[in-house]
Amino acid sequence: MRIVRNIAAAAASAALMIGGAVAVAPSASAASLPAACNLPLTQTKEASTSVNLRSGPGTSYTSLGILATGVKFTEYCTKDYAWSYGKVTSGANKGKLGWVKYSLLNPIES
């Protein structure tokens, strides 16, 4: 199993280095992802500006807090590349799950 994980990690790293997005099994199980998710993936991103963390994929959903510029967010899936669902991994809302506007998140270069 460790070999499989190492191969998957190497493939993901190689794809990211050449600018590709990688669809891999998210840390959260597929069964626990919201029904609105239509592309499961796992990618670490950061907020490009202050942005709302929302309870659903749209501006009509309740704000769960504000992510300041530079706050880290682990994306688990997207809804039509318009909204990203994931977990806040830094800042004041660390640990919260929710939705963020896809275009306001930047992939973190490694």
Side-chain angles (χ1 to χ4, degrees):
M1 188 59 126
R2 185 181 185 123
I3 292 172
V4 172
R5 275 187 243 146
N6 289 343
I7 291 170
S13 295
L16 288 173
M17 283 190 272
I18 60 172
V22 181
V24 295
S27 300
S29 72
S32 68
L33 292 175
C37 289
N38 58 15
L39 178 62
L41 53 83
T42 299
Q43 186 172 6
T44 302
K45 295 188 168 185
E46 65 183 6
S48 61
T49 187
S50 291
V51 60
N52 281 294
L53 177 69
R54 296 198 176 270
S55 61
T59 57
S60 63
Y61 289 90
T62 304
S63 175
L64 303 173
I66 303 290
L67 307 187
T69 303
V71 164
K72 306 294 187 276
F73 183 83
T74 299
E75 179 183 54
Y76 296 139
C77 70
T78 72
K79 176 176 174 43
D80 302 324
Y81 292 107
W83 289 88
S84 295
Y85 175 79
K87 185 176 189 177
V88 181
T89 57
S90 71
N93 292 293
K94 184 176 180 178
K96 285 187 180 180
L97 293 167
W99 294 87
V100 176
K101 183 77 173 150
Y102 183 85
S103 63
L104 299 177
L105 294 170
N106 293 327
I108 295 175
E109 301 292 327
S110 46

PDB file of all heavy atoms in Angstrom, residues 11 16 30 37 45 51 73 79 84 107-108:
ATOM      1  N   ALA A  11       3.209  10.965  -9.091  1.00  0.00           N
ATOM      2  CA  ALA A  11       2.445  11.340 -10.284  1.00  0.00           C
ATOM      3  C   ALA A  11       1.772  12.690 -10.089  1.00  0.00           C
ATOM      4  O   ALA A  11       1.771  13.539 -10.989  1.00  0.00           O
ATOM      5  CB  ALA A  11       1.406  10.268 -10.603  1.00  0.00           C
ATOM      6  N   LEU A  16       1.595  18.513 -11.280  1.00  0.00           N
ATOM      7  CA  LEU A  16       1.551  19.892 -10.807  1.00  0.00           C
ATOM      8  C   LEU A  16       2.737  20.697 -11.316  1.00  0.00           C
ATOM      9  O   LEU A  16       2.617  21.881 -11.607  1.00  0.00           O
ATOM     10  CB  LEU A  16       1.494  19.937  -9.277  1.00  0.00           C
ATOM     11  CG  LEU A  16       0.160  19.510  -8.675  1.00  0.00           C
ATOM     12  CD1 LEU A  16       0.269  19.440  -7.162  1.00  0.00           C
ATOM     13  CD2 LEU A  16      -0.949  20.438  -9.085  1.00  0.00           C
ATOM     14  N   ALA A  30     -15.273   9.908  -0.357  1.00  0.00           N
ATOM     15  CA  ALA A  30     -16.212  10.349  -1.386  1.00  0.00           C
ATOM     16  C   ALA A  30     -17.633  10.370  -0.835  1.00  0.00           C
ATOM     17  O   ALA A  30     -18.425  11.224  -1.206  1.00  0.00           O
ATOM     18  CB  ALA A  30     -16.106   9.452  -2.607  1.00  0.00           C
ATOM     19  N   CYS A  37     -20.788  18.318  -5.204  1.00  0.00           N
ATOM     20  CA  CYS A  37     -19.453  18.061  -5.761  1.00  0.00           C
ATOM     21  C   CYS A  37     -19.576  17.262  -7.046  1.00  0.00           C
ATOM     22  O   CYS A  37     -20.268  16.252  -7.083  1.00  0.00           O
ATOM     23  CB  CYS A  37     -18.606  17.264  -4.778  1.00  0.00           C
ATOM     24  SG  CYS A  37     -18.093  18.181  -3.332  1.00  0.00           S
ATOM     25  N   LYS A  45      -4.610  25.195  -1.732  1.00  0.00           N
ATOM     26  CA  LYS A  45      -4.703  26.503  -2.373  1.00  0.00           C
ATOM     27  C   LYS A  45      -4.630  27.578  -1.299  1.00  0.00           C
ATOM     28  O   LYS A  45      -4.601  27.288  -0.113  1.00  0.00           O
ATOM     29  CB  LYS A  45      -6.018  26.614  -3.156  1.00  0.00           C
ATOM     30  CG  LYS A  45      -6.098  25.653  -4.335  1.00  0.00           C
ATOM     31  CD  LYS A  45      -7.310  25.925  -5.167  1.00  0.00           C
ATOM     32  CE  LYS A  45      -7.243  25.175  -6.489  1.00  0.00           C
ATOM     33  NZ  LYS A  45      -8.373  25.533  -7.352  1.00  0.00           N
ATOM     34  N   VAL A  51     -12.244  36.496   1.224  1.00  0.00           N
ATOM     35  CA  VAL A  51     -13.358  35.796   0.585  1.00  0.00           C
ATOM     36  C   VAL A  51     -14.205  35.087   1.642  1.00  0.00           C
ATOM     37  O   VAL A  51     -13.690  34.670   2.675  1.00  0.00           O
ATOM     38  CB  VAL A  51     -12.812  34.794  -0.474  1.00  0.00           C
ATOM     39  CG1 VAL A  51     -11.903  33.761   0.155  1.00  0.00           C
ATOM     40  CG2 VAL A  51     -13.915  34.145  -1.257  1.00  0.00           C
ATOM     41  N   PHE A  73      -6.244  26.679   2.143  1.00  0.00           N
ATOM     42  CA  PHE A  73      -7.500  25.960   1.975  1.00  0.00           C
ATOM     43  C   PHE A  73      -7.209  24.671   1.230  1.00  0.00           C
ATOM     44  O   PHE A  73      -6.608  24.695   0.155  1.00  0.00           O
ATOM     45  CB  PHE A  73      -8.463  26.845   1.162  1.00  0.00           C
ATOM     46  CG  PHE A  73      -9.835  26.280   0.950  1.00  0.00           C
ATOM     47  CD1 PHE A  73     -10.816  26.401   1.917  1.00  0.00           C
ATOM     48  CD2 PHE A  73     -10.171  25.653  -0.250  1.00  0.00           C
ATOM     49  CE1 PHE A  73     -12.098  25.901   1.709  1.00  0.00           C
ATOM     50  CE2 PHE A  73     -11.444  25.156  -0.465  1.00  0.00           C
ATOM     51  CZ  PHE A  73     -12.411  25.284   0.512  1.00  0.00           C
ATOM     52  N   LYS A  79     -17.509  22.306  -7.811  1.00  0.00           N
ATOM     53  CA  LYS A  79     -18.801  22.262  -8.487  1.00  0.00           C
ATOM     54  C   LYS A  79     -18.640  23.091  -9.749  1.00  0.00           C
ATOM     55  O   LYS A  79     -18.556  24.322  -9.685  1.00  0.00           O
ATOM     56  CB  LYS A  79     -19.918  22.823  -7.620  1.00  0.00           C
ATOM     57  CG  LYS A  79     -21.266  22.869  -8.347  1.00  0.00           C
ATOM     58  CD  LYS A  79     -22.374  23.341  -7.460  1.00  0.00           C
ATOM     59  CE  LYS A  79     -23.674  23.544  -8.169  1.00  0.00           C
ATOM     60  NZ  LYS A  79     -24.085  22.552  -9.118  1.00  0.00           N
ATOM     61  N   SER A  84     -15.401  25.750  -4.860  1.00  0.00           N
ATOM     62  CA  SER A  84     -14.537  24.712  -4.294  1.00  0.00           C
ATOM     63  C   SER A  84     -15.012  24.376  -2.892  1.00  0.00           C
ATOM     64  O   SER A  84     -15.291  25.277  -2.095  1.00  0.00           O
ATOM     65  CB  SER A  84     -13.089  25.208  -4.196  1.00  0.00           C
ATOM     66  OG  SER A  84     -12.567  25.448  -5.472  1.00  0.00           O
ATOM     67  N   PRO A 107      -3.680  28.020  -6.642  1.00  0.00           N
ATOM     68  CA  PRO A 107      -2.859  26.862  -6.257  1.00  0.00           C
ATOM     69  C   PRO A 107      -1.552  27.339  -5.652  1.00  0.00           C
ATOM     70  O   PRO A 107      -1.010  28.365  -6.062  1.00  0.00           O
ATOM     71  CB  PRO A 107      -2.603  26.142  -7.573  1.00  0.00           C
ATOM     72  CG  PRO A 107      -3.648  26.642  -8.515  1.00  0.00           C
ATOM     73  CD  PRO A 107      -3.967  28.034  -8.059  1.00  0.00           C
ATOM     74  N   ILE A 108      -1.066  26.620  -4.674  1.00  0.00           N
ATOM     75  CA  ILE A 108       0.200  26.975  -4.049  1.00  0.00           C
ATOM     76  C   ILE A 108       1.328  26.317  -4.826  1.00  0.00           C
ATOM     77  O   ILE A 108       1.316  25.111  -5.038  1.00  0.00           O
ATOM     78  CB  ILE A 108       0.233  26.537  -2.570  1.00  0.00           C
ATOM     79  CG1 ILE A 108      -0.828  27.325  -1.806  1.00  0.00           C
ATOM     80  CG2 ILE A 108       1.612  26.741  -1.964  1.00  0.00           C
ATOM     81  CD1 ILE A 108      -0.974  26.912  -0.363  1.00  0.00           C
TER      82      ILE A 108
END
